[in-house]
Amino acid sequence: MSRRATMRARVARVENLNAGLRHVVLEPEEAGLFPAASAGAHIVLQLRHEGRVWRNPYSLISAPGAREEYRIIVRRAAASRGGSAYIHEHLRAGEVFPIEGPRNMFWPATTARKHLMLAGGIGITPFLSYLPALAGQNAELHVRCKAEDEAAFARLLAAWPNAHLHPSGKTAFSAGAILAAQPLGTHLYLCGPDAFMAAIEAEAAALGWISGKIHREYFGGNSTGQAFSVVLARDGRRLAVAPDQSLLEALEQAGVDAPSLCRGGACGACKITVLEGVPDHRDHFLSGAERAGGRAIMACVSRAHSGRLVLDM
Amino acid sequence: MQGAEFWVVAEGIGGFPSAPALLAALTERMAAERTGFRLYAAGTEGFLWDVANTARDAGLAEGEFFLAHAGSLCRRVYCTHCKAMIENVSTNLVCCSGCGAMLFVRDHFSRRLAAFMGVQVDAEQPGVLPPVATLYP
């Protein structure tokens, strides 16, 4: 943790967009400005509550370059590690905590002739910074959302005639029809639940989209499951990973300076060598061969099929 | 895989009077195409990279167009002094059609210019030329 640059942010205000979505506005604790962020960037909030520590990444929805405040939207996750529940139930204006970043692993392609953005639910968030960045360019956003989020999302998108909402139950949504209608030079950006993204990627591949024109931002929301234990081979320490805790969080809680960056299984920074045990791979980084080999694990999202993993650290 | 394909075979085939006419038709066609389109081209080196640049201008990327050399090894030469293009060069030396310099045809190929580099061969000792040989039949 020591190696990561953090700064302290204060909650300027919170606002519930609806029962499940909370808009959080952060400002620098001290006088001054935040670093400028680019379209698609995220920050990591370091939150503490009753002995738990969360380090959750959230896409910035503020306009690229905005430095006086950072804005995020947090969906309350039903069954998760608890960070979003904390933000919904306890976070108040005036609270101060460290944030990391901004970082960006989901930037718009400069060579694109057209930008096609497809979002599932809260996957709308990175595109709220794309829209102003791509103003004047050929860009189009489609958001598939639950009916209960339609009103809140419609308000967020009110200024953007190139953004289209597709509430489930009210409208049919055919990603295939949208993908099949795109001119040459279109780049596709995806953010949403894993199943949403996997289904669209499959349709895109069938239509002949090349992977180099598909850009993905993952939530990494699937890092909970059965409890297991890890042994750190170099000093013999044994740690328990709770059902509602990721392996990375368990390492950090124990004071291990484990590397990490995106915390969503995409960037590869938190890769650890596995000496014994069977990993339950949930990342989007390792190759098929690496997964099958079972000798590496991405600590931020992946867990264990065996009750115990021995890690080379 | 669904999606259209467009085959570009060597110049002059398929009713096009010239390579530029073919490339103009290709540009028009690609403006109406949709993602999933694949482009295949066969021909001489310069022609292939003219196709590649036309494809890139239309938004195609590596993996969406495929090039195969066929036919003559003759080179398109770019005069690095006056920027003239000299077509169908089969020899190691060529007289520039733009500035008249005697150029040595290098192996250095520019994908952007779709041409091999030609540099003045007798710049240091005017009039002293190596033997001329047909290297690119």
Side-chain angles (χ1 to χ4, degrees):
Chain A
M1 285 169 229
S2 54
R3 77 184 74 173
R4 267 180 292 269
T6 61
M7 53 198 162
R8 294 178 65 76
R10 177 188 295 110
V11 179
R13 58 188 189 277
V14 294
E15 169 200 10
N16 288 339
L17 303 180
N18 63 26
L21 299 173
R22 178 166 260 205
H23 178 207
V24 178
V25 181
L26 303 173
E27 60 189 9
E29 183 191 23
E30 308 289 339
L33 298 170
F34 284 134
S38 49
H42 70 270
I43 55 172
V44 174
L45 271 52
Q46 293 187 7
L47 302 168
R48 289 168 191 276
H49 183 65
E50 293 175 352
R52 275 295 294 265
V53 178
W54 296 282
R55 296 178 53 213
N56 288 4
Y58 294 100
S59 294
L60 291 173
I61 65 163
S62 10
R67 300 187 60 191
E68 293 180 355
E69 57 184 32
Y70 283 162
R71 299 193 288 119
I72 60 173
I73 296 175
V74 180
R75 168 179 292 289
R76 181 204 286 268
S80 73
R81 294 153 33 255
S84 70
Y86 171 77
I87 289 172
H88 273 261
E89 290 162 23
H90 298 286
L91 197 68
R92 296 287 177 267
E95 185 169 339
V96 174
F97 45 78
I99 62 174
E100 299 168 26
R103 304 185 187 119
N104 197 342
M105 279 169 278
F106 190 55
W107 54 89
T110 54
T111 55
R113 303 305 165 87
K114 178 177 177 182
H115 306 272
L116 176 65
M117 302 164 267
L118 300 184
I122 195 63
I124 189 177
T125 51
F127 300 126
L128 296 175
S129 68
Y130 268 55
L131 287 167
L134 300 178
Q137 297 187 47
N138 189 357
E140 186 178 315
L141 169 64
H142 295 270
V143 183
R144 180 61 160 172
C145 68
K146 293 177 180 163
E148 68 225 44
D149 288 333
E150 182 186 4
F153 285 179
R155 285 194 297 275
L156 292 169
L157 298 175
W160 302 102
N162 57 338
H164 309 279
L165 271 179
H166 304 268
S168 55
K170 291 178 76 175
T171 57
F173 176 67
S174 169
I178 295 169
L179 293 169
Q182 298 306 318
L184 304 186
T186 306
H187 279 241
L188 171 64
Y189 307 88
L190 298 176
C191 186
D194 282 1
F196 171 86
M197 291 170 67
I200 291 177
E201 285 186 61
E203 290 200 77
L207 288 165
W209 286 73
I210 57 169
S211 61
K213 286 182 169 174
I214 304 177
H215 311 271
R216 310 157 182 87
E217 178 89 323
Y218 295 101
F219 294 164
N222 180 28
S223 62
T224 58
Q226 294 274 315
F228 62 103
S229 67
V230 291
V231 176
L232 309 185
R234 293 186 200 170
D235 64 10
R237 261 192 295 174
R238 187 183 180 98
L239 310 176
V241 182
D244 63 347
Q245 186 181 40
S246 71
L247 169 55
L248 178 61
E249 286 174 324
L251 293 168
E252 288 171 344
Q253 189 178 35
V256 178
D257 190 11
S260 72
L261 197 59
C262 78
R263 306 181 80 88
C267 76
C270 65
K271 184 174 169 180
I272 298 171
T273 299
V274 176
L275 300 173
E276 286 176 39
V278 183
D280 172 7
H281 297 294
R282 299 181 181 188
D283 62 278
H284 304 277
F285 178 79
L286 294 176
S287 67
E290 286 176 306
R291 283 166 184 270
R295 297 295 85 176
I297 188 169
M298 310 312 299
C300 65
V301 290
S302 296
R303 302 185 69 86
H305 283 306
S306 52
R308 191 182 79 133
L309 293 178
V310 180
L311 304 179
D312 183 17
M313 66 187 310
Chain B
M1 194 188 76
Q2 301 170 39
E5 296 184 357
F6 189 98
W7 286 81
V8 179
V9 187
E11 302 101 299
I13 299 178
F16 294 100
S18 67
L22 184 154
L23 294 172
L26 176 61
T27 296
E28 196 174 324
R29 169 75 184 269
M30 288 193 292
E33 282 295 343
R34 293 290 173 261
T35 298
F37 179 81
R38 293 292 183 272
L39 176 65
Y40 303 88
T44 57
E45 194 80 42
F47 174 73
L48 291 178
W49 293 100
D50 282 344
V51 172
N53 287 328
T54 303
R56 286 202 196 93
D57 286 346
L60 290 191
E62 301 289 328
E64 293 179 302
F65 62 86
F66 301 90
L67 311 175
H69 184 271
S72 171
L73 295 173
C74 68
R75 295 182 167 186
R76 174 189 293 157
V77 176
Y78 171 79
C79 175
T80 57
H81 309 286
C82 77
K83 304 186 180 180
M85 291 285 187
I86 307 116
E87 298 284 347
N88 298 318
V89 176
S90 59
T91 49
N92 59 333
L93 301 185
V94 64
C95 183
C96 177
S97 56
C99 64
M102 188 58 79
L103 304 176
F104 175 71
V105 179
R106 296 188 61 198
D107 288 336
H108 177 181
F109 181 79
S110 163
R111 294 182 178 199
R112 183 178 65 83
L113 296 170
F116 290 87
M117 299 296 105
V119 295
Q120 188 170 353
V121 70
D122 58 349
E124 296 186 5
Q125 290 176 285
V128 178
L129 303 177
V132 176
T134 298
L135 300 182
Y136 319 113

